Amino acid sequence: MQTADYSIPLRQLPNGKHDFSFDCGDDLFEGVEGGLAEKGQLHVDVRVSKSDEMMILDFDINGTIEQQCAVCLGLFDYPIEDCGERITVKLGDKYEELDDNLYEVDAKDDRLDLAQWIYEQACVMLPIRPEHPTDDEGNPTCDQQMLDELNKYVVHSEEDVHRKAREAEGLTTDPRWEALRKLADKE
């Protein structure tokens, strides 16, 4: 449930250029079900150029969004830097998405809510496969303990499957049978 106000005046805003700033927290992300992000801290600057028929909104978004690493499953803060986007808002008599970054809004509304636009623009900056960043020496910063645990269950080849099954049953294999199995696999 969104509690913070990420809106700007609409009807009362005079023509000209106006600057607005928002500090967005987890409440921005909690308002979106099934979204790409659930937590984050963002600072948003919005420059609004308003005329009688339209508004142009230039967004500048910086901060972090919590992501789950695809490698070790650990959580980390993914940096969002210099995310800029322009949205054009036509002042009309209804709300409608006309194109990717072109919208019509009811000019009679008192306020224009920017929350959904901020969320979408920040999430566009997220990688398809989030991974922990590397340290200054280029080494991964994944949770090594979790990687070690996951590697216990990773199967790399059919040979590994048979070996792990035999180990689980406490069986040892005569090396001669292993040599024969390798010959059969080559054929």
Side-chain angles (χ1 to χ4, degrees):
M1 179 171 173
Q2 186 177 324
T3 57
D5 183 19
Y6 303 114
S7 66
I8 59 173
L10 183 60
R11 199 169 25 153
Q12 309 88 335
L13 194 65
N15 290 349
K17 293 186 187 272
H18 309 277
D19 293 320
F20 298 92
S21 289
F22 302 97
D23 287 313
C24 307
D26 295 345
D27 58 318
L28 174 74
F29 301 95
E30 291 168 358
V32 180
E33 279 189 40
L36 296 173
E38 296 178 5
K39 293 183 177 188
Q41 299 295 318
L42 301 173
H43 178 77
V44 181
D45 291 316
V46 183
R47 161 127 324 161
V48 178
S49 300
K50 184 177 185 255
S51 67
D52 288 334
E53 294 97 28
M54 68 187 317
M55 296 171 70
I56 296 174
L57 293 87
D58 289 307
F59 290 84
D60 183 29
I61 303 173
N62 291 285
T64 60
I65 296 178
E66 185 179 80
Q67 291 286 280
Q68 185 175 29
C69 179
V71 178
C72 73
L73 306 179
L75 297 176
F76 70 101
D77 289 332
Y78 184 83
I80 303 297
E81 298 171 349
D82 302 323
C83 172
E85 189 68 40
R86 174 174 278 186
I87 291 178
T88 304
V89 177
K90 178 183 168 191
L91 302 175
D93 57 2
K94 62 184 174 195
Y95 181 87
E96 182 179 6
E97 183 176 353
L98 303 172
D99 204 355
D100 282 343
N101 289 341
L102 178 62
Y103 298 85
E104 180 178 348
V105 298
D106 190 344
K108 296 178 197 132
D109 287 346
D110 286 333
R111 301 198 61 79
L112 179 62
D113 187 12
L114 306 179
Q116 186 66 34
W117 290 330
I118 293 170
Y119 175 85
E120 288 174 3
Q121 289 176 39
C123 286
V124 163
M125 299 298 293
L126 296 174
I128 293 171
R129 180 182 156 91
E131 294 181 13
H132 275 97
T134 55
D135 64 16
D136 293 336
E137 285 123 33
N139 300 316
T141 59
C142 283
D143 180 351
Q144 190 58 48
Q145 184 178 359
M146 178 59 87
L147 290 177
D148 293 342
E149 190 65 28
L150 289 171
N151 280 332
K152 290 180 185 176
Y153 302 101
V154 173
V155 177
H156 298 285
S157 68
E158 190 174 329
E159 177 72 25
D160 287 343
V161 172
H162 295 299
R163 183 181 49 76
K164 286 186 181 191
R166 289 189 306 275
E167 287 172 1
E169 294 174 7
L171 300 175
T172 57
T173 305
D174 186 331
R176 294 174 289 183
W177 288 112
E178 286 296 322
L180 286 173
R181 185 173 294 114
K182 287 179 183 177
L183 282 174
D185 288 341
K186 287 182 183 177
E187 292 176 8

